[in-house]
Amino acid sequence: MAVPILDLSRSFRSVRAEITKSLNKLFDAQSFILGQPVKDFETHCENYLEIPENSAVGCASGTDALLLALMSIDIRPGDEVITTPFTFFATSGTIARLGAVPVFVDVDPDTFNINTDQALSAITPKTKAFLPVHLFGQMCALEEVIDEFHERGVKVIEDAAQAFGASRSVGGEIQRAGAVGDVGCYSFFPTKNLGGCGDGGMVVTLDKERAERLRRLRVHGSGTTYYHDEIGINSRLDAVQAAILDVKLRYLDEWNEARRNIADYYRLLIKLHDLQDYLTAPAELPGNHHIYHQYVVRVSERRDELMTYLGENGFSARVYYPLPLHLQPCFEYLGYSAGDFPVSEQLSHEVLALPVFPGLLESEQDALIECVAKFFRG
Ligand SMILES: *Cc1c(COP(=O)(O)O)cnc(C)c1O
């Protein structure tokens, strides 16, 4: 048996005909930059996220979504942005790209999300923004701190690249990842829960003026063609990707539900095989609707050996993330050292992502967990 970490073809099968039809329409129209397909997809995302008209702005990638979001709140050289070291590189890469300073604080050992109390303690007079990540598809409890950040003049930008469709129930109200802070950022990289056939991204904001500004920033800061109010970038959501994503969006809830069922079944299997001393299943905070972009367990011992053993037996597993961002060579100039963020550092030695994707079979999960049991018990 060979079980890949991700097999996109299993879910693509069910949408292929619809996507082909939609692309043929686009090829007939030969209109590939912005236009109707992008507008339609933006509108459907607004409906899905239950946010007002014109608050979603498609762009070229999740990385650009972060960059545009930071530009839209005037992040400048020397400004501080509080963020997590346990995430994909783009979260801090974009901060540094603008000459601003990523200020790291550690994460929670159960959810892997940024420790919000420590984030509040990291505020200085230079702090302009707080940039939490809803890691692996589970939302941070932003409601606990958002008002205090705002009172202290700090904007909140959500990196929801892994969390399109994740939500959290707060006092009976549903909050959607990306639609809680001042600006929310999504990625449609092919491996994301809502993934295109290439790069894509989106920024959302409930502030009408900021949304207008984002629409200008994605076309070189130009409101009227060839007239530039400010210096922007070239970062449009490709019409081809928009047409594809628009079809896939209709299946997103179904696919996220499939991932949640897979997560439930892993949890059950870990118990049935009495593996709790070796594998800690990911925690889902009360109120959270986790969409399991990744199913990440903590392995108490010999993580790398286990990964190799699984690989030898046809089961692929991955480490997200092997080196926290404060220890990356490119961020040496920030002056952090090993030991600064013990939870993130320990996680980088213990985490292991197991296959989770729509279409993964229970028999494949059975075989994988049996293989884990064999590794630890022989
Ligand atoms: C994927 C990802 C990004 C970047 O998205 P791209 O579309 O690949 O540029 C940013 N942040 C996080 C947490 C991600 O997982």
Side-chain angles (χ1 to χ4, degrees):
M1 181 179 286
V3 182
I5 189 79
L6 176 65
D7 181 355
L8 291 170
S9 65
R10 295 190 200 179
S11 50
F12 192 72
R13 227 171 272 152
S14 57
V15 291
R16 187 177 192 133
E18 274 178 275
I19 286 177
T20 306
K21 205 172 134 201
S22 187
L23 286 179
N24 279 330
K25 233 173 88 185
L26 186 60
F27 295 148
D28 286 339
Q30 289 289 307
S31 168
F32 299 118
I33 300 296
L34 297 175
Q36 206 55 46
V38 173
K39 187 73 216 154
D40 286 347
F41 178 59
E42 287 171 343
T43 300
H44 297 148
C45 285
E46 287 155 2
N47 296 344
Y48 180 87
L49 297 164
E50 299 181 303
I51 54 177
E53 215 181 322
N54 296 324
S55 46
V57 182
C59 65
S61 69
T63 303
D64 277 2
L66 289 163
L67 194 63
L68 288 164
L70 291 163
M71 290 168 81
S72 79
I73 60 158
D74 294 304
I75 293 298
R76 303 221 193 285
D79 290 345
E80 292 180 358
V81 180
I82 298 167
T83 190
T84 165
F86 195 66
T87 175
F88 177 62
F89 177 75
T91 315
S92 324
T94 48
I95 297 168
R97 189 71 190 71
L98 291 171
V101 183
V103 172
F104 295 118
V105 300
D106 215 346
V107 297
D108 176 89
D110 298 319
T111 62
F112 318 142
N113 278 332
I114 194 163
N115 182 317
T116 47
D117 291 330
Q118 286 183 27
L120 282 175
S121 312
I123 298 177
T124 75
K126 288 184 176 171
T127 307
K128 283 285 169 57
F130 171 50
L131 208 180
V133 179
H134 303 301
L135 200 70
F136 303 143
Q138 167 157 240
M139 276 185 80
C140 304
L142 291 183
E143 78 281 0
E144 292 170 1
V145 290
I146 194 160
D147 290 343
E148 187 162 350
F149 275 112
H150 283 157
E151 278 156 26
R152 297 173 73 176
V154 177
K155 292 274 195 287
V156 176
I157 297 182
E158 300 172 72
D159 182 341
Q162 304 185 357
F164 194 108
S167 62
R168 175 167 170 75
S169 161
V170 178
E173 186 200 330
I174 297 295
Q175 299 196 333
R176 285 168 204 284
V180 180
D182 297 282
V183 194
C185 306
Y186 303 102
S187 164
F188 305 124
F189 187 78
T191 62
K192 300 289 155 89
N193 289 36
L194 178 60
C197 299
D199 280 303
M202 181 172 277
V203 199
V204 305
T205 179
L206 303 189
D207 180 317
K208 277 204 171 84
E209 274 172 38
R210 185 170 299 120
E212 276 315 305
R213 188 171 176 196
L214 284 163
R215 255 184 280 278
R216 287 195 302 270
L217 283 168
R218 73 174 167 182
V219 288
H220 295 294
S222 152
T224 309
T225 311
Y226 304 127
Y227 292 85
H228 300 266
D229 310 313
E230 62 178 320
I231 302 167
I233 59 177
N234 171 11
S235 183
R236 295 168 291 238
L237 175 62
D238 199 284
V240 170
Q241 297 310 327
I244 292 166
L245 290 163
D246 210 19
V247 173
K248 286 190 164 194
L249 178 61
R250 296 198 283 272
Y251 295 82
L252 182 65
D253 281 347
E254 186 186 310
W255 288 339
N256 282 345
E257 211 46 45
R259 288 172 182 269
R260 287 174 56 78
N261 290 335
I262 290 164
D264 282 345
Y265 193 54
Y266 272 133
R267 203 169 288 129
L268 177 71
L269 288 175
I270 290 168
K271 253 193 223 139
L272 285 177
H273 287 267
D274 211 10
L275 287 167
Q276 297 98 314
D277 287 346
Y278 303 105
L279 300 191
T280 307
E284 185 167 337
L285 282 192
N288 265 353
H289 184 80
H290 194 326
I291 55 163
Y292 295 95
H293 169 60
Q294 297 295 350
Y295 185 85
V296 176
V297 297
R298 291 180 65 164
V299 185
S300 61
E301 53 184 86
R302 298 194 289 151
R303 191 266 322 261
D304 291 342
E305 277 176 67
L306 170 63
M307 184 166 58
T308 306
Y309 183 79
L310 284 170
E312 285 164 0
N313 287 279
F315 303 102
S316 89
R318 291 270 197 291
V319 174
Y320 306 116
Y321 297 91
L323 185 64
L325 299 186
H326 67 290
L327 301 178
Q328 296 286 344
C330 70
F331 286 140
E332 218 179 272
Y333 73 96
L334 293 171
Y336 291 102
S337 43
D340 284 346
F341 304 113
V343 179
S344 299
E345 291 167 33
Q346 191 177 347
L347 287 175
S348 69
H349 293 113
E350 292 187 359
V351 288
L352 190 64
L354 305 181
V356 58
F357 54 86
L360 181 69
L361 304 173
E362 284 193 350
S363 58
E364 293 173 315
Q365 291 184 268
D366 287 336
L368 187 148
I369 296 296
E370 268 161 35
C371 188
V372 173
K374 199 156 166 235
F375 172 79
F376 284 116
R377 300 219 183 82

